[in-house]
Amino acid sequence: MYRGSGKLKVFQTLAPPQQRNLAALFLSGLMFWSSLTMLLPTLPPYIRDASGSDYLVGWVMGSFAIGLLLFRSILGRAADRHSRKAVVLLGTAIVGTAPLCYALVHSVALLALFRAFHGISIAAFTTGYSTLVVDISPPEKKGELIGYMSLVVPIGMALGPAVGGLLQVQAGYTTLFLVSAAAGFWGFFSAALVHEPRSRARQDAVAQIGSDDKQFWQLLLGDRLRTPATVMLLMGLVFGTLASYLPLYVRDLSVPLNPGWFYTTSALASFTVRVYVGRASDRYGRGLFISCSLVAYITAMFILATAQSPQQILGAAVLQGAGAGTLIPMAIALMADRSRAHERGKIYSLCLFGYDFGIALGGPLLGSLSLAVGYRGLFFLAAGLAALALAVFLTRSSKDLVHSLRFATGQDSDPYAVRVPEAVT
């Protein structure tokens, strides 16, 4: 991971303890996302077999975000005040435990409860992982290292759905859940090897701020967060629809395609773009790449809505993967730009609060429309939501319309970026 030439040579410039930390963290992330995504193509059919209802699939899958919504802010503050590593360990422990719970129950109510519990893993792991990566990274290489370290998502999504689909067909759900649990606990033990760095600026600030619950919620409506959180809310609705209904949509189309291949193809596209966009965004700014990611999402959802063949579905997967592989790391980098060390966890958690809320609503809200508009109609709606997100970002991402358009097209810097050097011990 750290040797050789080419695009990964940035790792050779890091001190050996930083290299070891990032290696252990990368393996933990890989296992986390592999465990989680094994269930993407397999859990919706499992839920429908248990409930007998497409509508309840949306509710159970959407309940995943309940854990996100309830715990994202709490865990963001815990990461700032106490320990990023402890929050990562919590996430990996839950992602390993939840599949065992699915294996033991067939009640829709209990499946929804355990799905909500499973959602806490995302709230914990993504907050702790992203803030740890930023803490370890030199400021001038922040975007590049975030891009590389975020590769755990597409690699995990390439492995997880393919392995999950194969296990479900060849060995059944019980084996699937056991393997998913094993991957999660492997991630836990890898995370335990990470040595958490400490920023002196962060420690001094945390010692002074005391209770900041009111400030925490006020931040959501502030200039730094309002537009990114709105964009992520809309994209959460899109992803909630995709995660809940894509496997059922593919089955309804009667095309010869395992839904797991959509996620694998998406992950490969995501991997490819993440190798490039992090470093490029350090040079050209985050706005241009966020805009491009939203255009890719709009196109992907439109293709899905009109798909008639496996080739079209996989083409949509390529664009969706490119969009996701750009949007998520750029959102993380944008929030890192707009935050100081002592508030990084809560800033990140608040920005992703919109995404979590969108996922929570996407499955049940848009799923309730499926009887009226069908699965195709749901993906047309998803394309419209992505287009609205692009319009918001183009017009509201900076201090006024002109500067927003310039920032969103890479012609202007971010006026809300915080540029304060931090000493790390």
Side-chain angles (χ1 to χ4, degrees):
M1 179 178 175
Y2 301 117
R3 298 301 174 193
S5 58
K7 298 186 182 305
L8 297 182
K9 65 183 179 181
V10 63
F11 290 101
Q12 299 179 31
T13 68
L14 303 177
Q18 292 174 307
Q19 293 183 356
R20 289 192 293 270
N21 277 338
L22 289 176
L25 198 57
F26 190 92
L27 180 59
S28 177
L30 182 60
M31 291 299 102
F32 176 88
W33 287 105
S34 296
S35 170
L36 193 72
T37 59
M38 283 183 199
L39 306 180
L40 277 178
T42 53
L43 198 55
Y46 182 74
I47 296 166
R48 187 157 85 166
D49 290 344
S51 67
S53 167
D54 287 352
Y55 179 68
L56 289 176
V57 170
W59 279 101
V60 175
M61 292 297 289
S63 66
F64 183 86
I66 294 174
L68 283 166
L69 292 170
L70 292 179
F71 287 89
R72 176 76 82 178
S73 61
I74 296 170
L75 293 168
R77 282 175 286 183
D80 285 336
R81 294 181 178 182
H82 304 293
S83 169
R84 325 282 209 203
K85 177 179 173 179
V87 174
V88 169
L89 290 172
L90 176 64
T92 52
I94 292 174
V95 88
T97 303
L100 301 177
C101 298
Y102 296 141
L104 296 175
V105 301
H106 297 283
S107 160
V108 172
L110 288 176
L111 284 172
L113 177 64
F114 290 134
R115 190 66 179 155
F117 171 68
H118 207 171
I120 300 173
S121 69
I122 286 273
F125 187 84
T126 56
T127 298
Y129 183 90
S130 299
T131 50
L132 265 178
V133 170
V134 173
D135 289 347
I136 294 169
S137 302
E140 70 278 5
K141 299 292 185 181
K142 184 168 52 184
E144 184 175 5
L145 285 169
I146 288 172
Y148 290 141
M149 292 297 291
S150 72
L151 290 174
V152 295
V153 181
I155 296 174
M157 289 194 71
L159 294 173
V163 172
L166 181 64
L167 287 172
Q168 188 258 326
V169 172
Q170 299 294 329
Y173 284 111
T174 299
T175 301
L176 165 68
F177 293 140
L178 289 174
V179 173
S180 177
F185 288 123
W186 189 352
F188 176 89
F189 291 116
S190 296
L193 300 176
V194 175
H195 172 73
E196 181 174 3
R198 296 287 181 178
S199 163
R200 287 195 293 271
R202 171 188 161 200
Q203 294 178 57
D204 292 344
V206 169
Q208 296 174 12
I209 58 177
S211 175
D212 60 351
D213 288 344
K214 183 176 180 181
Q215 180 194 16
F216 186 88
W217 292 109
Q218 287 177 336
L219 281 171
L220 188 61
L221 299 178
D223 292 338
R224 287 186 292 171
L225 279 184
R226 184 174 58 248
T227 295
T230 301
V231 169
M232 297 307 287
L233 166 64
L234 294 167
M235 298 313 296
L237 287 167
V238 173
F239 185 79
T241 302
L242 189 67
S244 296
Y245 293 104
L246 177 78
L248 302 177
Y249 178 45
V250 172
R251 188 159 71 177
D252 187 64
L253 288 175
S254 298
V255 296
L257 178 70
N258 183 332
W261 287 113
F262 178 93
Y263 299 105
T264 299
T265 303
S266 171
L268 292 172
S270 180
F271 177 93
T272 302
V273 300
R274 286 174 195 245
V275 169
Y276 296 96
V277 297
R279 182 168 60 172
S281 75
D282 284 333
R283 180 176 180 181
Y284 298 109
R286 322 299 186 197
L288 173 64
F289 295 95
I290 292 175
S291 298
C292 290
S293 74
L294 297 175
V295 171
Y297 253 109
I298 294 167
T299 309
M301 294 303 105
F302 182 80
I303 292 174
L304 271 181
T306 58
Q308 299 285 351
S309 68
Q311 292 78 12
Q312 290 174 311
I313 293 172
L314 293 178
V318 170
L319 288 169
Q320 188 273 328
T326 303
L327 178 64
I328 301 301
M330 287 304 96
I332 294 170
L334 185 68
M335 291 304 96
D337 293 342
R338 295 184 176 192
S339 62
R340 298 176 178 85
H342 70 276
E343 62 179 3
R344 191 164 288 141
K346 67 186 176 188
I347 290 286
Y348 177 72
S349 66
L350 271 176
C351 179
L352 271 290
F353 179 87
Y355 194 66
D356 302 340
F357 193 57
I359 293 173
L361 292 177
L365 179 63
L366 296 185
S368 64
L369 301 174
S370 63
L371 292 177
V373 301
Y375 293 131
R376 290 190 185 279
L378 291 184
F379 288 106
F380 275 121
L381 286 173
L385 290 169
L388 179 58
L390 177 62
V392 169
F393 190 72
L394 288 173
T395 59
R396 305 293 296 174
S397 59
S398 192
K399 293 184 176 181
D400 54 45
L401 177 59
V402 172
H403 286 90
S404 293
L405 286 170
R406 290 181 59 81
F407 173 65
T409 54
Q411 301 176 66
D412 205 353
S413 61
D414 184 2
Y416 302 119
V418 176
R419 308 191 186 282
V420 179
E422 299 171 2
V424 178
T425 60

